[in-house]
Amino acid sequence: MNPIYTIRLDGIYLRAYHGCYDLEQQVGNRFRVDMVIRTTLGDLPQSDDVTQAVNYLTVYEIVERTMKRTQRTIEAAASNIIEAVKAEFPQIIEVECTVAKIAPPLGGKIDKVSVTLIG
C-alpha cells in the first residue's frame, strides 16, 4: 500500500499586477495563496531521501513565478498554479489552491474575494 499524505502551505502573500480592471494592472493588488497538496509517500519514510519529497521552497517559487504572469482572473491564477506544481512533482495526486485578492477595488468594503480550485 502506498499511503497518501497532505501538505498544507498557508499564507503565501504576494503582490501582483493583474486583474479585471486596468487600474489593477497598473497599481497591483495584494494576494494570498493557500494550498493543500495530496501526494504519495513512496519509499520516502524508509529512505528519508529529501529528493523524493515535495519541496516546499520549490512550491513557493512556483506560486511566486506564476503570480507574476499576466492573468486577468484569480481562477486562471489558481489553475496555472495547480498545473505548474503538478508538472514539477509527478507524485502529486491532487492540489487544492485558493487564491484570494485582498481588499479588491470594488468600490465597497470587502476584505477579500477568493476562489478555490481542485485539480
Side-chain angles (χ1 to χ4, degrees), residues 42-84:
D43 68 350
L44 183 61
Q46 293 77 29
S47 70
D48 199 28
D49 180 0
V50 71
T51 64
Q52 294 180 6
V54 173
N55 183 304
Y56 315 139
L57 177 58
T58 301
V59 172
Y60 173 83
E61 290 168 345
I62 290 169
V63 170
E64 185 177 49
R65 185 172 56 246
T66 304
M67 289 298 290
K68 287 183 180 180
R69 293 173 37 192
T70 300
Q71 301 161 104
R72 294 188 56 86
T73 66
I74 56 178
E75 291 85 352
S79 179
N80 291 332
I81 289 168
I82 290 170
E83 184 179 302

Side-chain angles (χ1 to χ4, degrees), residues 2-118:
N2 200 353
I4 296 171
Y5 72 107
T6 300
I7 301 168
R8 299 187 74 86
L9 287 89
D10 295 322
I12 301 171
Y13 289 93
L14 308 139
R15 185 159 194 84
Y17 295 89
H18 59 266
C20 295
Y21 306 105
D22 290 337
L23 181 62
E24 293 178 288
Q25 294 179 19
Q26 297 167 11
V27 176
N29 288 293
R30 289 180 50 230
F31 292 88
R32 176 182 169 150
V33 177
D34 297 314
M35 299 179 68
V36 177
I37 298 170
R38 291 178 186 82
T39 184
T40 59
L41 285 172
D43 68 350
L44 183 61
Q46 293 77 29
S47 70
D48 199 28
D49 180 0
V50 71
T51 64
Q52 294 180 6
V54 173
N55 183 304
Y56 315 139
L57 177 58
T58 301
V59 172
Y60 173 83
E61 290 168 345
I62 290 169
V63 170
E64 185 177 49
R65 185 172 56 246
T66 304
M67 289 298 290
K68 287 183 180 180
R69 293 173 37 192
T70 300
Q71 301 161 104
R72 294 188 56 86
T73 66
I74 56 178
E75 291 85 352
S79 179
N80 291 332
I81 289 168
I82 290 170
E83 184 179 302
V85 168
K86 288 178 83 174
E88 180 72 25
F89 299 101
Q91 70 270 39
I92 289 177
I93 297 167
E94 180 179 81
V95 177
E96 179 178 319
C97 180
T98 301
V99 176
K101 185 183 296 186
I102 301 169
L106 300 175
K109 177 66 176 131
I110 298 177
D111 290 336
K112 69 177 179 178
V113 61
S114 66
V115 63
T116 300
L117 270 65
I118 301 172

